[in-house]
Amino acid sequence: MEEIDRRIVTLLATDGRMSFTDLAKETGLSVSAVHQRVRRLEKRGVIRGYAALVDYDEIGLPLTAFVSIKPIDPSAPDDAPERLSHLTAIEACHSVAGDESYILKVRVASPLALEELLQQIRASANVSTRTTVVLSTPYDYRSPVIEKELGGDVTG
């Protein structure tokens, strides 16, 4: 990836609503050149989309937890993500190495709602769970540091 594209991606990761005009000022390119580069990055899948950062407390989902799951029957098909996709309280599902198969990031309204969600997870996917409740989040949604090349400097 070219240095200028890395800069554009970093700027948009920090502020997804940055205008093409502002991107042009920050990169030293013309507005049309920035527009073409952004469209090319989108087409290549480097930029997959744009999203609003939501205050989950304000929308009634103040409790965040990480739920590690592993199958009760290790010989069963590895289809937990598909079995759990209908549970909208699951924000993310990560396949992981270690004792557990997946770690789920969930957001719910209360401890009771978390308890009910855990029951649904266990029943839907035939898994055991281990839950860690988030007390606070000092930072989230950090912009990526894009390496110049494999093994390159990651300090920016």
Side-chain angles (χ1 to χ4, degrees), residues 46-103:
V46 174
I47 298 173
R48 298 184 316 174
Y50 303 88
L53 301 180
V54 175
D55 183 334
Y56 288 93
D57 290 345
E58 292 295 321
I59 62 168
L61 298 171
L63 197 157
T64 302
F66 291 96
V67 181
S68 300
I69 64 171
K70 66 179 176 180
I72 290 174
D73 177 5
S75 66
D78 183 13
D79 60 356
E82 293 80 16
R83 290 171 166 245
L84 298 172
S85 64
H86 70 283
L87 298 174
T88 58
I90 300 174
E91 181 178 309
C93 175
H94 304 278
S95 176
V96 297
D99 288 337
E100 286 86 8
S101 300
Y102 297 93
I103 295 179

Side-chain angles (χ1 to χ4, degrees), residues 6 25 60 64 69 74-75 89 91 97 106 113-114 153:
R6 282 194 286 277
K25 287 177 187 172
T64 302
I69 64 171
S75 66
E91 181 178 309
V106 304
L114 178 60
D153 179 21

Side-chain angles (χ1 to χ4, degrees), residues 1 10 16 18 22 34-37 52 55 61 65 73 83 87 103 128-129 146:
M1 180 183 294
T10 300
M18 184 175 272
D22 290 340
V34 166
H35 186 264
Q36 288 175 346
R37 284 181 177 266
D55 183 334
L61 298 171
D73 177 5
R83 290 171 166 245
L87 298 174
I103 295 179
S128 62
T129 61
I146 304 169

Side-chain angles (χ1 to χ4, degrees), residues 17-58:
R17 294 184 64 174
M18 184 175 272
S19 70
F20 290 123
T21 302
D22 290 340
L23 282 169
K25 287 177 187 172
E26 290 289 328
T27 60
L29 296 174
S30 69
V31 173
S32 63
V34 166
H35 186 264
Q36 288 175 346
R37 284 181 177 266
V38 169
R39 293 295 171 243
R40 189 171 62 236
L41 290 165
E42 291 170 345
K43 191 171 186 169
R44 286 180 38 209
V46 174
I47 298 173
R48 298 184 316 174
Y50 303 88
L53 301 180
V54 175
D55 183 334
Y56 288 93
D57 290 345
E58 292 295 321

Side-chain angles (χ1 to χ4, degrees), residues 21-22 27 42 50 75 105 124 132 136-137 140 155-156:
T21 302
D22 290 340
T27 60
E42 291 170 345
Y50 303 88
S75 66
K105 182 179 181 182
S124 295
T132 303
S136 69
T137 304
D140 202 0
T155 59

